[in-house]
Amino acid sequence: MKRLVPMLLAACAFTAPAFAQLRITITSGVTDPIDIAIVPFVRVGTADPLDVAEVIQRDLESTGRFKGMPRADMAALSKPTSAAEVVAAEWKQLNNDYVVVGRVTSQPDGTVRIDAELVNVLTGLRISGPYSIVAAANIRNGAHRVADALFEKITGVRGAFATRIAYVSVDGRPPNQRYELYVADSDGANRVRILASPLPIMSPAWSPDGEWLAYVSFERRTSAIFVQHRRTGKKTMVSARAGINGAPSYSPDGKSLLLTLSGSNGNLDVYLLDLASNQLKRLTDDPGIDTEAVMSIDGTVYFTSDRSGNPQIYRLTPGSNERPKRVTFTGSYNARPRISPDGKQLAVLTQDGGSFRIAVQDLANGSVQVLSKGNQEESPSFAPNGAMLIFAGRQGGQGVLQTISTDGQISARLDADAGEVREPVWGPFLP
Amino acid sequence: MNNAAMNHFARTTGVTMKKLVSVSALLATLALLSGCPAKKPDVPPTPPPTTDSTTGVQDPNAVVGDDTAIAGPPEGLLAQRIIYFDFDRSDIRADSQSIVAAHAAYLAKNPAQKVRLEGHADERGSREYNIGLGERRGQAVRRALALQGVAETQLSTVSYGEERPVEAGSTEQAYSKNRRVEIVYLK
Amino acid sequence: MPPNKKLTQFRWRGYALSILLHSALVAAAVYGWFTWKHRAPDVDTLAIEGSVVDERVLKSIAAMPEAPPEKPPEPEPAPVPEPEPEPVPVEEQGPPAPDPAELQRKEEERLELEKKQKEEQEQKAAQELKEREEAERVEAEKQAAAKAAEEKAAKEKAAAEKKAAEKKKAEEAAAAKKAAEEKRRQAAQAELLKSLEAEERGNAARNSSEAARWKAQIAAKIQSNWKLPVSARAGVECNVSVSQIPTGEVTAVRMGGCNVDDAALRDSLQDAIYRASPLPPPPPGVPFERILELTFKPQ
C-alpha cells in the first residue's frame, strides 16, 4: 500500500493528452468599449429624414460599452447595405470589432420596415440578425428597437433604449416659477407635456405597465397625489388627505401605491394604499420623518428615515411585526432609495464629502460605490435592464438629466430640454 | 372748502363731490386689493380638503375657509412674516422668538384670524425629505404659537420643501434665505 | 479544410494513449494488491506418526546429547558386559600320598574335573558367547532400534525440514514473485518517471525564463485585447484552446467550456483572441507551440 499511493499520484500528474501544449492563464482584461461601425442605413422608398444609424450609434454609446466609428472615417470605405457586402478585412484594419449594416424600407401599408445585420469582423465568420422591426409611425422607436437587439446580442444584457422617461421641467425664476410634467423617449427625444401648473409638481412614478404616472401636485394649494393615464390623459386624485400627501410609488404588481402621509400633526409616515379598495395600511409609526418608500421585486419596502438623527435608508416587510432595519451605513446622509429591477442593488442620494452624489450599494454584501462626480445630484432611477441609471444633475447652474452606467463607466447628458429639468424616472420595458 | 369753490370746481371739471368720494373709495379699495407687500400671485380659491386619514380620499364638503392671503397687520414686528432656520434644524432660533411672540399675541387677541404656516427647506438633499423638513419647521412655529395662546383652529400648515425658493442659486446666502417658515394671514 | 478538424485528430490520439497508459497502471496496481492479499497460507499442520518403542530405547535416546540432526550419531559407548559368572572355586586338596590308583583316580578325577571344568568353561564360554551374542543381539537390536529411532527422527526431521524447506520455498517463491512484482512496478514507475522527465525536459525548455517570458507576452497581448463583458466577474472561469501557426496567426479557437453559461462571455473571449492575432513569436531557444491552452479567470 505504501508504494501504491505515490505511484498513483505520479500517474495522476500525467493526466494531459500525451502530447505537449502550453498553458496560459488570463486574469484580467480591459474596460475598453467595443468598437462598432454603424454604416448609414440605405433608404428604400421612404423620405423620412431620420438617420437610423445615428440613433443606434448614440444609444449604444450612451451605455459606455460601445464606441461608434465616426462617419468621417468611413468616407473611404464602401458602404455595404447587407452582411454579404461587408469586406471584413477592410473594417478590421480600421480597428473595428463589429459592423452594422441595414436598410429602411417603406411598405405599401404605410409602415416602415428596418432591416439590420451585425457582422463580427474579427472572426469574419459570425453574422447575427437580420433584425427586422416594423415601425408604424415612429421610425425612431424602430431604431431604438434595433439598438436593443444589437446591444443584447453583443453584451448578453437586454437593451433599454426603446423605453420612456418622465421628468419635471420648471420655467421662470423664483419666486415666479411654473411647473410642467413631461414624458419622452429614453434619449429625451419626442417629449410630450402631460401636466402644467403654477404650483409645484413633484415625484413622478411609473406604473409597472408603463400606462400610468403617479405624481404629487400642489395645484389644490396643498399637496395631493394623482395618477394620470399617459395616453388618454385621464386623471384621478388618489389621496388628498389632511396634511402632506407625498412620494407615491407603485408596488411591482401595480395594484398598490406606497405613499407618505402626515395627518394633521405633521409627522410623516409611510402607508400602503390599495388602489381598488382605497384601503390604507400604515407601515411606519415613528416620530421621525419616514418617506420616499419603494417596493422591491421581493416585496421588501425601502424608505428614508431620520429616526437615528440623520436621513438613512431602512427596510421593512409589510405585514411583519419586525422593526425596520437600517440598510445604509456609509456617510451621514442617505436618502431617496431606488431598487434595481433584479432587487439586488440600491441607488441612493448620498452626501459624499460636501457634495450630494448618486451611489449604488450592493444589497448582498453592503459594498457602496459612489457613481457620479458632481456637486448637486439627486433623484436616481434605474433603467429596466438595471444596466444604467438616470438622475438629475446640475451643469452651469442649471438642472440637467444625466445617464450613467451602473458601474460608473460612462455618463451622458440628455440635451432634449433646454430648461431646468429635474426628477427623471425611467419607465419599464415596452411590449 | 366753501361751497362756492366746490360748485365752481364741479362745474368746470364735471367732477362732483359724490363722484369724487366714490372714485376715491374705489381707488382706495384698489390700492388695498393690490396687496402690499405682495409675495405671491393670487391662487385659485379651491378650499383645501380636510379629511381624516382613514376615510376616503377627501371630504368634498369640508371647507376650512377662504384661504386667500391678505396683507395682515403691518405694525412693527408683526410685519415680519418669515422665520429663518439653520441647516437641517427645525427649532426656532433665539433671534426669531420675539417675532413668534408678537404674532402669537396678535392672534390670541384676534381669535377669528387664521394664518397658514408655510414651511420650506433649502435645495440640498432629497425633495421629499425636504418636504418633511419644511413641515417640521411649520409645526415648530405652530406649536410655539399654540403654546402662547393661539387656538388650533386658527392655524394650518403646509410644506413646500425645496420647491418654492425665494432665492435661486447654490450659495450659502440663497440656502439661508430659503430655510424658512412664512406666516401667511388668511382672509 | 476547417482548422478545427486537425486539432480534433491530434486530440483523440492523445486521449487514447492516455487512457491506455492509465488502464495499464491501474491494472498492475490492482493485480499486485490482489496477489499480496491472497498469498499461500503458512503450512502449520504436521502428520503425527506413531510406533512402539522400548522404554530403554527411549531412555537411551533421552540420554543422547542434544545434537543437530545433521551430525551423525555419536558412537555408542561399549556396552557394559554382564559380569562373568564367577568360576566355581576349585577346592584345593592337600597333598595326600600319592596312590597310583589313587593317583590315577586322582588323575582321572583331575581329568574329569578338567574336563568338567573344560566343559563348564566351554559351557561358560558357550554361555558367554550366547550371552555375548545375546547382548550383541540386544545391542544390535538396541542399535537397530536406536537407528530406527534415529532414522525416524531423521526422517521426521527431514520431513520437517522438507516442509520447512517447502514453506521456505513457497515463501521464497512468494517473495520472489513479490519482488518480481515490485520490480515490475518499479520498472513501470521508472518508465513513468522517464517520460515525465522527458516532458520535464521539454517543460524545462518551456519553463525556462525565456519560455516564461513568451507565455507572459502572449498573456499580456490577449489581456490587453479582452474587452470585458458585464459577466466577467471574479469566480468565472473559461478554458479555450487556440491553434496558431508559426507566424503567430491564430487559425482556430475552440471553447473548452465555462463554469457559467454565457454566450456574450464566450464571444468576448473569441474576439479577444482574434483581436490579439498575430500572437508574439517565441524567442530563440524556445520551441514553437502550435496549441495554447488558455484559462480565463478574472480576479
Side-chain angles (χ1 to χ4, degrees), chain B residues 119-121 129-139 158-159 161 181:
Chain B
H120 302 261
Y129 180 75
N130 285 337
I131 292 277
L133 267 186
E135 178 68 12
R136 227 183 228 163
R137 288 169 180 150
Q139 292 285 341
V158 69
S159 171
V181 168

Side-chain angles (χ1 to χ4, degrees), chain A residues 195 197 200-202 215-220 222-226:
Chain A
L195 182 69
S197 170
I201 303 171
M202 288 174 71
Y215 53 85
V216 173
S217 169
F218 282 79
E219 62 197 62
R220 306 172 86 254
T222 184
S223 59
I225 296 173
F226 294 84

Side-chain angles (χ1 to χ4, degrees), chain C residues 16-30:
Chain C
L17 251 166
S18 173
I19 290 168
L20 240 124
L21 195 67
H22 274 85
S23 314
L25 290 170
V26 170
V30 169

Side-chain angles (χ1 to χ4, degrees), chain B residues 92 99-108 115 117 138-152 154-155 183 185:
Chain B
I92 299 171
I99 303 171
V100 175
H103 286 281
Y106 179 87
L107 289 167
V115 292
L117 305 168
Q139 292 285 341
V141 173
R142 179 197 192 127
R143 266 194 304 276
L145 292 171
L147 278 171
Q148 296 179 58
V150 183
E152 285 289 343
Q154 292 175 261
L155 305 167
I183 303 173
Y185 279 76

Side-chain angles (χ1 to χ4, degrees), chain A residues 3 22 26 30 35 97-98, chain C residues 182 227 275 293 295 297:
Chain A
R3 275 169 254 168
L22 204 57
I26 314 286
V30 293
D35 290 289
D97 300 326
Y98 293 85
Chain C
E182 193 55 36
K227 296 184 179 175
R275 218 179 268 123
E293 298 289 343
T295 302
K297 210 170 166 181

Side-chain angles (χ1 to χ4, degrees), chain B residues 16-44:
Chain B
T16 62
M17 189 54 149
K18 252 212 308 224
K19 271 197 201 154
L20 204 58
V21 169
S22 56
V23 167
S24 310
L26 184 64
L27 282 171
T29 315
L30 279 172
L32 259 173
L33 282 177
S34 67
C36 45
K39 284 203 188 55
K40 293 178 188 42
D42 272 13
V43 296

Side-chain angles (χ1 to χ4, degrees), chain A residues 87-112:
Chain A
V87 178
E90 69 177 10
W91 296 94
K92 184 176 177 182
Q93 199 178 359
L94 295 172
N95 292 324
N96 288 298
D97 300 326
Y98 293 85
V99 175
V100 177
V101 296
R103 54 186 68 203
V104 181
T105 313
S106 69
Q107 311 281 77
D109 61 357
T111 58
V112 171

